[in-house]
Amino acid sequence: MSAPRGRRATRRRLGIWAQVIVLAVICVVWIYPLLWIVSASLKDSLGVFSGGLGLIPDSLHFENYARAWRDADFGLYTVNSVLITLGTVALVVLRCALAGYVIARRNFIGKRAVVAVLVATLFAPQGLTIIPVVELSDLMGLLNSRTGIVLALAGTGHVAAVLLYAGYFSRVPRELEEAAIMDGAGFLRTFFRVMLPLAGPVTATVGVMTFLAAWNNFFLPLVFTFSRPDLRTLSVGMLAFRGTNSTDWSGLAAAGTISLVPLLLVFLALQRYFVEGIAGAVKS
């Protein structure tokens, strides 16, 4: 009896080690581009190409970061990105939470049609709506302003966020709403004091998704800042490293690394809530 058990244990251990090796290889392949960008940011322009796929630079050139931060105005672009991204996240969370709450808890005529239209907007490319968005912003005096960029980024469909909130709110017991109503709370008070605090994991998920999308968005900030370079975001500011006849690859890699740091910090801080929010909405 001991011999078969030993063989089974050995096979189980070998299977576990095989899984670990496969997952380790996948992780290395997955994070290699990020590691290469960080490595390229510490090389000179010649070393970026002469080093090939190697990750260890011959010498460290931290002046690339100083050049990106000071000479390319990345300090200003970082402030713009932070303000625009935070404003977009706040508006998207408020709007999508309210929409998801109404869809999940209220019955109204045309509810299915509204949901169908929302889902249909998932297939509309951003370039299809950029012209009316820019014209409307120009008529309202919002073109070439941070407020205009925030409203343009927050005013798109964000259907996934709406459906996440709707799925989460549909699982909340109705007794909580009824108790709030009996205490004299109206619609908005019930939403802000009872329902929204319960949806913390979904709010974290939507916040992370919106943060990533707004921080990395290139097209809308580019169009809205044609005549105002001082309002550019980090993604648009990287154009400063590309000239007519040459490209500062090491400076561009340093700029890309600078723009990635806030994304990594936000995701690492909220990853547990991100997974909980996705799992909670999918269960419903």
Side-chain angles (χ1 to χ4, degrees):
M1 293 294 292
S2 60
R5 265 185 214 166
R7 286 195 293 269
R8 284 197 297 269
T10 301
R11 285 196 297 267
R12 188 162 52 248
R13 284 195 295 269
L14 289 176
I16 292 174
W17 277 108
Q19 293 176 10
V20 170
I21 292 173
V22 171
L23 291 175
V25 172
I26 294 174
C27 288
V28 170
V29 173
W30 189 266
I31 67 173
Y32 179 80
L34 175 61
L35 297 178
W36 189 89
I37 289 178
V38 176
S39 174
S41 69
L42 296 172
K43 301 176 181 179
D44 56 15
S45 296
L46 181 60
V48 172
F49 296 99
S50 63
L53 298 177
L55 297 178
I56 301 177
D58 296 331
S59 59
L60 301 179
H61 294 268
F62 290 101
E63 64 271 13
N64 295 332
Y65 288 93
R67 188 167 70 255
W69 188 264
R70 183 183 60 252
D71 299 342
D73 285 335
F74 257 53
L76 176 62
Y77 298 157
T78 300
V79 173
N80 292 335
S81 292
V82 169
L83 294 176
I84 290 171
T85 301
L86 292 181
T88 302
V89 169
L91 285 179
V92 168
V93 167
L94 178 62
R95 182 174 64 84
C96 293
L98 279 169
Y101 177 53
V102 171
I103 290 174
R105 312 299 275 192
R106 295 290 187 272
N107 293 320
F108 54 89
I109 298 175
K111 179 177 177 178
R112 291 181 179 273
V114 170
V115 175
V117 171
L118 286 175
V119 174
T121 60
L122 287 172
F123 304 98
Q126 188 182 58
L128 187 66
T129 59
I130 187 65
I131 294 178
V133 167
V134 171
E135 289 185 351
L136 181 61
S137 300
D138 191 22
L139 290 174
M140 298 175 64
L142 296 174
L143 201 61
N144 298 315
S145 67
R146 294 190 188 95
T147 303
I149 300 175
V150 169
L151 292 177
L153 291 173
T156 53
H158 298 287
V159 180
V162 174
L163 296 180
L164 282 174
Y165 274 114
Y168 192 90
F169 286 137
S170 64
R171 297 191 301 118
V172 177
R174 292 189 176 274
E175 287 79 6
L176 295 175
E177 283 180 291
E178 295 171 355
I181 294 172
M182 291 180 64
D183 289 339
F187 174 82
L188 290 178
R189 187 176 178 186
T190 300
F191 172 76
F192 284 108
R193 299 294 295 273
V194 178
M195 304 300 289
L196 189 58
L198 292 175
V202 177
T203 299
T205 301
V206 173
V208 170
M209 292 169 57
T210 307
F211 189 96
L212 295 176
W215 188 272
N216 291 323
N217 195 286
F218 176 82
F219 196 31
L220 276 174
L222 174 66
V223 174
F224 271 74
T225 59
F226 267 134
S227 59
R228 290 288 303 276
D230 58 305
L231 296 180
R232 288 177 176 174
T233 59
L234 287 172
S235 58
V236 180
M238 291 186 190
L239 291 174
F241 295 94
R242 183 175 179 84
T244 304
N245 301 313
S246 63
T247 300
D248 183 1
W249 293 108
S250 57
L252 185 61
T257 303
I258 291 173
S259 67
L260 284 173
V261 170
L263 296 179
L264 294 176
L265 293 178
V266 169
F267 185 78
L268 290 176
L270 299 176
Q271 61 175 332
R272 180 169 66 89
Y273 304 103
F274 180 85
V275 174
E276 288 179 1
I278 292 290
V282 170
K283 282 182 182 179
S284 62

